[in-house]
Amino acid sequence: MFTRARHRAACRLLPFAARRFIAAVSGPTPLETIIEDTIKTIGPISLSKFMRTCLTHPEHGYYIHKDPLDKNSGDFITAPEISVAYGMTCGLAFVRMFLAQLQYQSRHNPDFKVKDKIFRVVEFGPGKGSMMRGLAMVFKQYIIDNPVEIVMVEKSDILIREQHKLLCKFQRLEQVDDYNFESITEWGQPIAWQKNDLVDMDLDSKYMNFVVAHEFFDALPIDRYIKTQHGWREYLVDVREPEADRPGKFGLVVAPHATPGSFIPATDDRYNKLAVGANVEISADAHMYASQFARIINSGDVGGALIIDYGPKDTIPINSLRGIKDHKFVDPFWEPGKIDLSVDVDFLGLSRLFESQRLKTTIETQSQFLNSSGLPLILGGLASSTKEQQQRFETLYQRLTGSAPQDMGRAYKVLQVYRNANKTT
Ligand SMILES: C[S@@+](CC[C@H](N)C(=O)[O-])C[C@H]1O[C@@H](n2cnc3c(N)ncnc32)[C@H](O)[C@@H]1O
């Protein structure tokens, strides 16, 4: 089973895997032609424009025409797909966050009346809906005094239909307009889908908002910069001759002069204090989405977020762009629109943004998070007494929490964001 986190053992596979794929190259993809024509007309394009086109072009984008998590034709697997216990553990973490904040409100805010509130959970990039399945099951059991509503932010029609199939069983998927859909989950919770970049939802203070994003931020476009003697310069995507171990038709070149993008790292001391020669990756889209998370959470007295992904805990991501196809890493400039693209997430940058919006944050490894949020308990409850099943759950536990290169416990990080209090005292 191949996860998208980059670990040392898997990285060594890149040139080998890429070479194997050269033989399979079969004419340009529709996006290859579109991108090449664009570059020939206007010159090299920004990396974020290249990535956005490859991933979410309205017709040929990777996430638009493909189910990347399909059991037979998919390119990778994610933790919520491995076991429903994963989503359930995240559900328990939200319940704990919720209870701690109720305790805080009862001490500090005499006007707060929990019985008037709606518990709203918003998921960005929900894949096949497996995380939400685990969450909805837990909320059905533990959030009993408040109505629960669900919002899914998803660009892909194919995945919206998969999510609806998994969560709503026999309830119809109602199309409100080109960008909005509605239904009811099998646990009776109203569920709405949105395809817009700028989420359009009622931010009335009657909602307590809990936001989740699992392997969403790593799918957002980045730009890459290098610090030179003459200031920051942006890497741009240009046409190049394919090489033996880099079969893609495009590659990165450093812009010879300042571009509008190169002023972004120059505005922040975090980047400016780096030495000449330093490379950095910055995602304006990640900032845009994180700002929306903060606005949604801050619209109620109680709320929080779980952002789970891979990337360094406290350093700036560098050179992390990778292509993923058929459970292998490949050249990210190969077959645009046919392969997944992924980058490391800047956890420290996100956490600083949330803190600048008066929210509190913690960053921990997935192993620490799952162990303290009840995964062993949930697995214990799901396992029957047969030896085979116990063995299966031990393997699953190791996969999600272990620190070996093929395990997810150390490579994946969990950023918790919350209003007021996170732990009951
Ligand atoms: C790597 S998949 C992760 C899916 C799921 N969260 C999981 O962990 O199994 C990325 C998800 O984000 C969605 N996505 C990617 N870019 C998006 C964007 N700009 N807006 C909304 N959804 C997006 C994809 O369609 C997909 O559902």
Side-chain angles (χ1 to χ4, degrees):
M1 284 191 298
F2 179 88
T3 58
R4 297 152 82 235
R6 185 177 57 160
H7 45 72
R8 263 174 283 127
C11 275
R12 281 202 298 270
L13 292 176
L14 174 60
F16 169 67
R19 253 180 266 130
R20 277 184 52 192
F21 279 116
I22 298 173
V25 173
S26 53
T29 67
L31 283 186
E32 199 163 352
T33 309
I34 292 171
I35 294 169
E36 188 174 4
D37 287 350
T38 307
I39 294 175
K40 283 185 175 153
T41 312
I42 63 167
I45 58 173
S46 70
L47 179 56
S48 54
K49 181 176 171 66
F50 173 83
M51 288 181 70
R52 194 172 297 110
T53 307
C54 292
L55 294 176
T56 54
H57 180 281
E59 196 179 344
H60 306 296
Y62 175 77
Y63 282 113
I64 306 304
H65 70 76
K66 167 152 189 161
D67 173 358
L69 291 153
D70 185 82
K71 278 204 175 64
N72 303 312
S73 61
D75 290 316
F76 54 85
I77 180 117
T78 60
E81 292 300 313
I82 293 176
S83 168
V84 73
Y86 188 87
M88 291 171 75
T89 307
C90 294
L92 286 186
F94 274 131
V95 170
R96 187 178 67 171
M97 211 185 251
F98 172 60
L99 293 178
Q101 294 193 32
L102 289 193
Q103 196 180 60
Y104 178 93
Q105 290 296 332
S106 71
R107 284 190 190 148
H108 298 95
N109 183 2
D111 296 333
F112 179 80
K113 303 263 182 299
V114 67
K115 69 173 178 45
D116 301 336
K117 308 284 181 188
I118 298 169
F119 187 102
R120 180 163 62 186
V121 52
V122 187
E123 181 166 8
F124 284 71
K128 290 177 94 75
S130 303
M131 162 71 82
M132 190 54 75
R133 186 173 172 78
L135 296 181
M137 285 162 69
V138 166
F139 295 155
K140 178 72 188 167
Q141 207 171 341
Y142 290 98
I143 310 294
I144 40 183
D145 292 329
N146 299 94
V148 173
E149 290 182 13
I150 296 171
V151 178
M152 309 282 259
V153 182
E154 174 61 73
K155 272 208 183 315
S156 156
D157 281 320
I158 295 174
L159 289 176
I160 289 176
R161 284 175 206 289
E162 288 289 318
Q163 292 154 18
H164 169 256
K165 199 160 68 182
L166 186 73
L167 297 169
C168 303
K169 285 256 164 77
F170 306 110
Q171 296 285 345
R172 273 170 57 89
L173 180 65
E174 304 287 348
Q175 178 151 10
V176 180
D177 56 36
D178 284 352
Y179 292 93
N180 292 279
F181 302 80
E182 288 174 356
S183 190
I184 305 279
T185 70
E186 69 173 280
W187 304 275
Q189 302 131 338
I191 178 167
W193 281 265
Q194 303 204 1
K195 291 171 70 178
N196 273 336
D197 283 336
L198 285 176
V199 179
D200 177 20
M201 62 176 76
D202 183 1
L203 293 184
D204 191 290
S205 63
K206 72 180 178 212
Y207 289 102
M208 305 179 286
N209 295 291
F210 292 89
V211 183
V212 61
H214 186 274
E215 293 205 29
F216 172 72
F217 278 88
D218 72 87
L220 297 178
I222 53 154
D223 286 298
R224 186 182 290 176
Y225 304 94
I226 181 167
K227 190 170 182 183
T228 72
Q229 304 273 5
H230 310 289
W232 287 99
R233 292 290 180 266
E234 183 177 355
Y235 282 92
L236 299 172
V237 178
D238 203 354
V239 178
R240 72 163 181 215
E241 281 304 311
E243 291 166 18
D245 61 351
R246 294 193 309 172
K249 199 172 207 172
F250 306 105
L252 290 174
V253 293
V254 178
H257 42 70
T259 52
S262 59
F263 288 91
I264 294 175
T267 57
D268 191 333
D269 252 10
R270 189 176 178 222
Y271 306 116
N272 266 334
K273 67 182 183 202
L274 298 173
V276 166
N279 269 270
V280 296
E281 292 175 350
I282 302 179
S283 175
D285 288 40
H287 275 241
M288 185 272 287
Y289 278 108
S291 302
Q292 290 197 60
F293 284 23
R295 207 161 66 88
I296 294 169
I297 297 166
N298 276 328
S299 64
D301 295 311
V302 163
L306 281 181
I307 295 173
I308 309 180
D309 228 303
Y310 39 80
K313 195 170 166 186
D314 47 19
T315 56
I316 301 165
I318 51 170
N319 300 336
S320 74
L321 175 64
R322 59 259 202 197
I324 295 160
K325 185 180 168 76
D326 290 337
H327 298 258
K328 291 184 188 72
F329 290 112
V330 296
D331 178 1
F333 297 103
W334 183 60
E335 294 214 314
K338 293 271 170 76
I339 63 165
D340 183 28
L341 296 177
S342 175
V343 293
D344 282 358
V345 170
D346 180 6
F347 279 95
L348 188 61
L350 291 180
S351 128
R352 286 185 177 174
L353 187 145
F354 288 119
E355 295 198 351
S356 76
Q357 303 296 311
R358 306 179 320 279
L359 291 163
K360 298 191 171 52
T361 64
T362 58
I363 304 173
E364 57 193 343
T365 62
Q366 173 161 295
S367 168
Q368 291 165 327
F369 168 75
L370 291 177
N371 279 311
S372 65
S373 301
L375 179 68
L377 210 75
I378 290 178
L379 288 180
L382 291 177
S384 75
S385 52
T386 67
K387 241 193 166 149
E388 292 74 33
Q389 190 143 51
Q390 273 172 11
Q391 180 63 44
R392 216 163 60 78
F393 280 111
E394 270 163 35
T395 310
L396 174 65
Y397 176 77
Q398 178 62 28
R399 179 94 171 105
L400 294 174
T401 65
S403 45
Q406 71 277 11
D407 295 331
M408 305 169 80
R410 198 158 61 176
Y412 284 74
K413 311 290 184 314
V414 181
L415 169 58
Q416 294 196 52
V417 183
Y418 46 94
R419 293 210 66 171
N420 310 312
N422 190 34
K423 292 194 169 68
T424 33
T425 46

